Amino acid sequence: MEIHVDKDACVGCGLCVKDCPMHVYELQDNVSVAVRPNNCMGCLSCHEICPAQALEHRGIYAARRHYIDIKVCEMLRKVV
Amino acid sequence: MSAGYIDEMHEAFHSDLVYRSEDIPLECSPKPRDMEHTLHGVMKLNGLVIRSLEEIAGRGANAVTYRAGKKFGHEVAKYFQKREDVEGALHELSDLLRGQYSFEVWKPEDKETFIIEENGETFIYLVFHDCIVRQTLRRNGLDQGGPLCQTLFGYVVGAIEEITGRKAKLEIVHTGPNACLKKLVLK
């Protein structure tokens, strides 16, 4: 598992540090650093909680997603 | 209601297909892609049932759904091969849940084995990846870890108990949008 933190984007709020049950992240000089990437089980709640969208995971298993509304997808396809 | 509309309706349910009683359907009908609306309908319905159950029964809702899941787990797993080893039981369970849930055994990097002994209890970490419960909850904007998760908990516990003949307990360690970490405590 590879975790990349965009140092320019990270605001140092520490939410990922508090949220991760496996203590993957630590704040160093007000920036989040993935110090234990091998402890990451890929839940991606850090992605959901990060206000700066500064995180990137590589080599992750993406779970199936059935929850996105078909009508919303159809509308988005027209716009995007 | 106009006659034209009624004819149109009858037309929609009429075909020239010849169906014999000995015909065995070899594939799902309609195709899974066409079932997407149905799936969403079922997910919405499940979400509504769970939300109402929580409103009426409060914390008691967890006990009801856990019990229902556990009973189902016992029922389903009684046709599976009985095994004493937990690894084998988890393998059986993985077959049992295929298509609805997928999970793997997991350990933090400082642990040497998947079966962990800590503070007088023996447990295994399970990471659930694909999970129809999570999809349903997120589809309906409900919190994870509530009564609907308890059905899955009960299901896993019931199945493990049935396969191994040992008492078990499942605890939520963490929930996320892509995976959830659970702790299977063996007694």
Side-chain angles (χ1 to χ4, degrees):
Chain A
M1 178 85 68
E2 254 183 74
I3 305 173
H4 175 71
V5 182
D6 186 338
K7 286 182 182 171
D8 297 325
C10 178
V11 291
C13 65
L15 285 174
C16 54
V17 180
K18 279 184 205 156
D19 187 56
C20 181
M22 289 300 148
H23 313 292
V24 168
Y25 302 98
E26 262 176 26
L27 271 187
Q28 292 175 4
D29 300 324
N30 272 334
V31 171
S32 178
V33 178
V35 286
R36 293 176 202 89
N38 290 335
N39 266 1
C40 176
M41 32 111 186
C43 72
L44 297 187
S45 62
C46 52
H47 277 235
E48 204 164 56
I49 214 166
C50 178
Q53 299 185 333
L55 303 168
E56 191 180 276
H57 282 64
R58 281 182 195 178
I60 203 162
Y61 174 82
R64 294 180 205 173
R65 286 177 195 190
H66 307 305
Y67 58 83
I68 301 160
D69 197 294
I70 303 166
K71 283 178 188 164
V72 173
C73 284
E74 280 167 5
M75 275 191 276
L76 281 173
R77 261 186 231 117
K78 283 178 193 167
V79 179
V80 181
Chain B
M1 209 179 282
S2 70
Y5 173 69
I6 292 172
D7 287 344
E8 208 177 285
M9 208 161 66
H10 284 313
E11 188 74 21
F13 292 103
H14 180 79
S15 83
D16 296 325
L17 179 80
V18 179
Y19 196 91
R20 295 177 189 89
S21 56
E22 68 270 25
D23 282 347
I24 300 165
L26 295 174
E27 57 185 33
C28 284
S29 167
K31 289 198 162 36
R33 171 78 190 138
D34 300 327
M35 293 293 284
E36 222 171 324
H37 283 288
T38 313
L39 173 68
H40 276 253
V42 174
M43 282 160 83
K44 273 187 206 167
L45 183 70
N46 257 335
L48 286 170
V49 170
I50 287 298
R51 188 175 289 172
S52 304
L53 182 66
E54 221 173 351
E55 280 167 11
I56 294 166
R59 285 174 63 84
N62 285 351
V64 174
T65 49
Y66 179 78
R67 167 90 183 147
K70 195 170 171 182
K71 207 169 176 187
F72 190 46
H74 274 288
E75 283 290 318
V76 174
K78 74 180 168 196
Y79 302 107
F80 275 65
Q81 195 187 341
K82 303 286 172 276
R83 315 181 69 135
E84 280 181 16
D85 59 314
V86 183
E87 293 95 332
L90 287 170
H91 191 258
E92 292 281 335
L93 182 68
S94 159
D95 284 342
L96 200 72
L97 299 177
R98 185 158 294 150
Q100 302 160 60
Y101 310 95
S102 68
F103 70 87
E104 62 173 333
V105 288
W106 185 85
K107 66 175 181 65
E109 62 179 346
D110 61 329
K111 302 288 180 205
E112 283 177 9
T113 56
F114 287 106
I115 300 178
I116 301 167
E117 286 186 27
E118 219 172 65
N119 304 325
E121 63 179 13
T122 309
F123 61 87
I124 300 171
Y125 281 124
L126 300 177
V127 174
F128 277 78
H129 294 287
D130 300 312
C131 175
I132 190 67
V133 167
R134 191 187 317 125
Q135 308 297 328
T136 303
L137 293 171
R138 296 183 79 81
R139 174 70 182 77
N140 290 285
L142 294 168
D143 287 339
Q144 287 172 249
L148 200 54
C149 283
Q150 293 293 330
T151 44
L152 172 62
F153 275 36
Y155 191 51
V156 171
V157 168
I160 289 287
E161 283 185 357
E162 190 66 38
I163 296 167
T164 61
R166 287 170 73 176
K167 286 273 172 202
K169 195 173 90 177
L170 199 66
E171 290 172 10
I172 305 176
V173 180
H174 190 69
T175 58
N178 196 55
C180 298
L181 181 64
K182 282 155 193 179
K183 196 170 148 182
L184 179 68
V185 184
L186 304 161
K187 291 180 181 172

